[in-house]
Amino acid sequence: MGYTRMSAAEAAAMIKNDETIALSGFTPNGVPKAVFRELSKHAEQEHAAGRPFQIGIITGASTGQSVEGDMAAAKAIKFRAPFSTNKDFRDCTNAGEIDFEDMHLGHVAERLRRGFYGEIDWAIIEVSGLEEGTSTCKAFLTSAGGIVPTIVRLAKHVIIEHNSFHHPTSHLLHDVYEIAECPRRLPIPILQVGDRIGREYVEIDAKKIVGVVECCIPEEARAFTPLDPVTEQMGHNVADFLVNDLKRGIIPPEFLPLQSGVGVTSNAVLEALGQNPAVPVFSVYAEVVQDSVVKYMREGRIKAASCSSLTVTNDTLKGIYADMDYFKARITIRQSEISNAPEVIRRLGVIAMNTALECDIYGNENSSHICGSRLMNGVGGSCDYERNGFISIFTTQSTAKNGAISSIVPMCSHVDSTEHDVDVIVTEQGVADLRGKGPLRRAQEIIENCAHPDYRPLLRDYLKIAGKGHEPQHMRSALAFHDAYLTKGDMRLTEF
Amino acid sequence: MGYTRMSAAEAAAMIKNDETIALSGFTPNGVPKAVFRELSKHAEQEHAAGRPFQIGIITGASTGQSVEGDMAAAKAIKFRAPFSTNKDFRDCTNAGEIDFEDMHLGHVAERLRRGFYGEIDWAIIEVSGLEEGTSTCKAFLTSAGGIVPTIVRLAKHVIIEHNSFHHPTSHLLHDVYEIAECPRRLPIPILQVGDRIGREYVEIDAKKIVGVVECCIPEEARAFTPLDPVTEQMGHNVADFLVNDLKRGIIPPEFLPLQSGVGVTSNAVLEALGQNPAVPVFSVYAEVVQDSVVKYMREGRIKAASCSSLTVTNDTLKGIYADMDYFKARITIRQSEISNAPEVIRRLGVIAMNTALECDIYGNENSSHICGSRLMNGVGGSCDYERNGFISIFTTQSTAKNGAISSIVPMCSHVDSTEHDVDVIVTEQGVADLRGKGPLRRAQEIIENCAHPDYRPLLRDYLKIAGKGHEPQHMRSALAFHDAYLTKGDMRLTEF
């Protein structure tokens, strides 16, 4: 037997205006691509014919150009959650065209189960292989875990993209596990980074599967930004801080699993830790595995990694597939509600390292909005880790736009991680260790250790005019840095 | 055999300048009182003699007048964490005299274990009874669980206050359990609100016990503020919202455990739920049990309650002690790292209800700081529940100070719970259901349903001047409400 094969265009034609679609994948990896390449064209045709066509798209994390980029450009997204890194999507969202809910990635499956998003009309998932049973289908996931078991269970219909770009043994990397509905849940039984608690495949009710689309499409992986001296310095600052905590006995001698967000700074941190002989062989418990993890795993510096996605270049992905015997024993791809589960993160004592857009002098952090209003990417999974991690570190370059923006400001223009969840701030200038300190002592650390020297006098001046209080803020001047940037193009021109 | 008995003054005299002291208790309940009544006098004597005397005080939550009130007034607190509700303490902290770290209550034991606060010189704990063994002492806790097993293990020395105000059978209410050190932890095996996973007593290394102080001191419980029509309306709004979610199948038919913060609004919510016949018999998984829980438990409307403290009046406490056979089967007092554990809160699907000082039009929330600067109380355990609860509700009266303050503002002057963790805002005006909505739709709900009608035109005007963006904010006007209050005494006089 076999399920109905159909073209991507035929699959796309079944999707109607105003429906809600949930997808496999986490970051651009593991996201279905074939159907959406047709769906954005279909949307444009519908619009040209004067008919409305907008859908809701819910995914594990960000996606790629074929999904949120082209669909946003086609004005075909009505609602979107939980995260995006795409420029076209960002432009449309900042123009007020898309209803976008920026959400903790560890909450997505949970909130879908709770029914907060109404009915899910379609689940579209990418697989590397299928066992086409009469009552249930066993589907093999590709390079990401995401929210698949939840969406195939909740959706009315399922479309499968069988993408032969992925190796048919990709399932050997997966541990598929869905948390049960409330109120009858059990503990998530992960005690070590590499523990496998589920199955290698996703089970799908065969009745829901309306079609299988065959394709061979590479991942829409983003290019790897090379390190520069500033990001390298930030990486070394983080590594030195952790080595010092190890020496002081704060971090136990066997070290603790690391989480590091997506992007160039995360790579810089992993490079610095990988190269530092004072750091023992370590593990990674994160939402993504990037190229540097794979590199140091090959070198024996990283012994195990758990993630919800191999957010790697296509070359690195092919390299993993080619060495499956080595990597299947070392890498585990999980659902995002497991990779980002507070329960597991706190139990394992994960060291959380994420990237800030800006931090204020009291330790509040903004990951998502430029000058309060304009979406950059979103919080992603950073908050799942910062509150539950053993130590919560945020890194940011002390300035941006050739010095016209200070990443250390009097008050964040938007807050994603509060002072209660930020233990350490690291810039290329240095490290502010905020643990066990009240606001005034935190301000001292952050201004003197992390702010760029050009901005320190302004920040000290602000503290003076802010006056008395547990956490002094001056309501008329708190956002003056941002106002100066918006009106004069340079925060150095701030006047209080 | 027996341990050394000493007077409270003798115990207090052992404590030296600059030492760090950790205490039993959670809220004013279960906190040691006798030694501190002497210690604040001792501090004043030292200061009068020209000698420095300031200590660090770390507790489970807030304490009472004898600890943070009198010690703050005596200028004898150097560092304090994690929470306070005391006026004298607040005044000194807002004057910049005390280094206070406002912290998630579920993190306190965890951060002590991690060594973020250096050495703990003394643990002072209140007990209702002791088994005075040669190598280990079994201590019976009184009306709170707090952080006791952690502090008696980490502290160099232990002082015990044996307070005969408490009934010697108080231990029957307790489930004493400490989470292990990283990296070798197991799941917290709580599957139901009432599950007991530990012991009825705390074990203390007898060598550490330097003395036992006998006393009989009532709890320094705060008076119960009676409900008024406004708080009653807020309670009914919450109850109606939950009943509607129950009817829609969002909340399962057996209902879910409730958490409700400390204070009059929490009592109003519990009263409204207790009286609403559409709400099934329910359970409470919270950090405190207040009087209303005990009342509805006696009436059979609440079947089980888990907490870290019986934050009740002394009359209610005596009533529980008098009916121990009834209550020991229904109430469990836990450590605060268990009552507030993300792992357990998410597993049980707790409905989280907390109180806001102010919320902004996008759903960010401030629990702690008036006009950004002045500490009110602190975050307490609210954030432990909001992010991990099944539904996260914040309640606030729409105005304060006879209408001069709007609790709904363009931008919060301080953020404790971000938009990512606030599902529902409830005022006496109505309910804003923010689930599955982006910022602009959230603003619509909050302004039209929750803001006071006097402030709606101003808030709509703000949205216009804020312009475009994913979450539009105008850097020069975002805090204009607060500035108007500080400079003109009334937010209604805001000009953008």
Side-chain angles (χ1 to χ4, degrees), chain B residues 314-389:
Chain B
N314 282 315
D315 282 350
T316 299
L317 187 60
K318 288 289 183 188
I320 293 171
Y321 288 154
D323 256 344
M324 192 55 103
D325 278 347
Y326 185 83
F327 286 106
K328 75 181 184 194
R330 289 170 177 80
I331 292 178
T332 305
I333 306 176
R334 305 184 188 277
Q335 273 47 70
S336 48
E337 64 175 342
I338 304 297
S339 63
N340 292 34
E343 171 174 343
V344 181
I345 293 165
R346 196 177 282 194
R347 185 182 302 146
L348 299 181
V350 174
I351 296 172
M353 302 186 291
N354 291 286
T355 306
L357 269 186
E358 64 180 6
C359 295
D360 70 28
I361 54 174
Y362 299 118
N364 298 287
E365 186 270 347
N366 171 10
S367 336
S368 61
H369 285 77
I370 296 166
C371 289
S373 302
R374 292 186 65 80
L375 179 73
M376 184 68 197
N377 296 326
V379 290
S382 59
C383 301
D384 296 322
Y385 291 92
E386 42 80 310
R387 184 169 296 168
N388 300 295

Side-chain angles (χ1 to χ4, degrees), chain A residues 99 102 104 107 184 254 346 369 373 383 387 414 416 419-421 423 438 441 470 473 476 483, chain B residues 99 102 104 107 184 254 346 369 373 383 387 414 416 419-421 438 441 470 473 476 483:
Chain A
D99 186 28
D102 181 21
H104 304 307
H107 281 196
R184 269 171 268 285
E254 59 271 65
R346 197 178 283 194
H369 286 78
S373 303
C383 302
R387 185 169 296 168
H414 178 93
D416 292 305
E419 55 177 289
H420 316 292
D421 297 309
D423 290 327
R441 290 176 67 207
H470 173 242
Q473 288 285 12
R476 213 175 286 180
D483 187 54
Chain B
D99 186 27
D102 181 21
H104 304 309
H107 282 195
R184 270 171 268 285
E254 59 272 65
R346 196 177 282 194
H369 285 77
S373 302
C383 301
R387 184 169 296 168
H414 178 94
D416 292 304
E419 54 176 291
H420 316 292
D421 297 308
R441 291 177 66 206
H470 173 241
Q473 289 285 14
R476 213 175 286 180
D483 187 53

Side-chain angles (χ1 to χ4, degrees), chain A residues 79 93-96 98-104 106-107 110-111 113-117 179 182-192 245 248-252 254-257 337 340-343 346-350 364 368-369 371-375 379 383-384 386-391 411-421 423 434-442 466 468-476 478-480 482-483 486-487, chain B residues 79 93-96 98-104 106-107 110-111 113-117 179 182-192 245 248-252 254-257 337 340-343 346-350 364 368-369 371-375 379 383-384 386-391 411-421 423 434-442 466 468-476 478-480 482-483 486-487:
Chain A
F79 176 77
T93 300
N94 284 324
I98 297 173
D99 186 28
F100 170 59
E101 190 185 7
D102 181 21
M103 200 197 297
H104 304 307
H107 281 196
E110 185 73 28
R111 290 169 74 87
R113 272 195 299 269
R114 289 174 191 162
F116 290 0
Y117 301 92
I179 293 177
C182 276
R184 269 171 268 285
R185 286 185 176 173
L186 298 173
I188 303 167
I190 295 175
L191 304 182
Q192 302 288 331
D245 257 22
R248 292 163 65 210
I250 302 261
I251 296 174
E254 59 271 65
F255 219 62
L256 289 167
E337 65 175 342
N340 292 35
E343 171 174 342
R346 197 178 283 194
R347 186 182 302 143
L348 298 181
V350 174
N364 299 287
S368 60
H369 286 78
C371 289
S373 303
R374 294 185 64 80
L375 179 71
V379 290
C383 302
D384 296 321
E386 41 81 307
R387 185 169 296 168
N388 300 295
F390 191 89
I391 302 169
M411 178 188 269
C412 281
S413 60
H414 178 93
V415 175
D416 292 305
S417 289
T418 73
E419 55 177 289
H420 316 292
D421 297 309
D423 290 327
L434 313 178
R435 297 173 292 180
K437 297 186 175 87
L440 295 173
R441 290 176 67 207
R442 293 202 293 265
K468 291 274 187 199
H470 173 242
E471 186 160 315
Q473 288 285 12
H474 189 264
M475 292 293 96
R476 213 175 286 180
L479 300 169
H482 303 88
D483 187 54
L486 291 173
T487 56
Chain B
F79 175 77
T93 301
N94 283 324
I98 296 172
D99 186 27
F100 170 58
E101 190 186 6
D102 181 21
M103 199 197 297
H104 304 309
H107 282 195
E110 184 74 27
R111 290 169 75 86
R113 272 196 298 270
R114 288 174 191 161
F116 291 0
Y117 301 92
I179 294 177
C182 277
R184 270 171 268 285
R185 287 184 173 174
L186 297 173
I188 303 167
I190 295 175
L191 304 183
Q192 302 288 333
D245 257 21
R248 292 163 65 209
I250 302 260
I251 296 175
E254 59 272 65
F255 220 63
L256 290 168
E337 64 175 342
N340 292 34
E343 171 174 343
R346 196 177 282 194
R347 185 182 302 146
L348 299 181
V350 174
N364 298 287
S368 61
H369 285 77
C371 289
S373 302
R374 292 186 65 80
L375 179 73
V379 290
C383 301
D384 296 322
E386 42 80 310
R387 184 169 296 168
N388 300 295
F390 190 89
I391 302 170
M411 177 188 269
C412 280
S413 59
H414 178 94
V415 175
D416 292 304
S417 289
T418 72
E419 54 176 291
H420 316 292
D421 297 308
D423 290 327
L434 312 178
R435 296 173 292 180
K437 298 186 175 86
L440 295 173
R441 291 177 66 206
R442 293 201 294 265
K468 292 274 186 198
H470 173 241
E471 185 160 315
Q473 289 285 14
H474 189 264
M475 292 293 97
R476 213 175 286 180
L479 301 169
H482 303 88
D483 187 53
L486 291 173
T487 56

Side-chain angles (χ1 to χ4, degrees), chain B residues 438-449:
Chain B
L440 295 173
R441 291 177 66 206
R442 293 201 294 265
Q444 176 80 12
E445 286 265 325
I446 295 169
I447 295 172
E448 304 307 330
N449 297 356

Side-chain angles (χ1 to χ4, degrees), chain A residues 9-60:
Chain A
E10 287 168 325
M14 295 189 292
I15 294 166
K16 295 189 190 64
N17 179 46
D18 214 29
E19 289 189 320
T20 297
I21 306 185
L23 309 184
S24 66
F26 190 96
T27 73
N29 288 62
V31 170
K33 292 161 276 276
V35 175
F36 269 84
R37 290 182 183 183
E38 296 300 326
L39 191 61
S40 49
K41 287 186 227 163
H42 176 68
E44 282 170 356
Q45 287 157 6
E46 289 293 293
H47 293 164
R51 289 187 289 268
F53 191 88
Q54 283 199 319
I55 58 166
I57 304 175
I58 299 172
T59 61

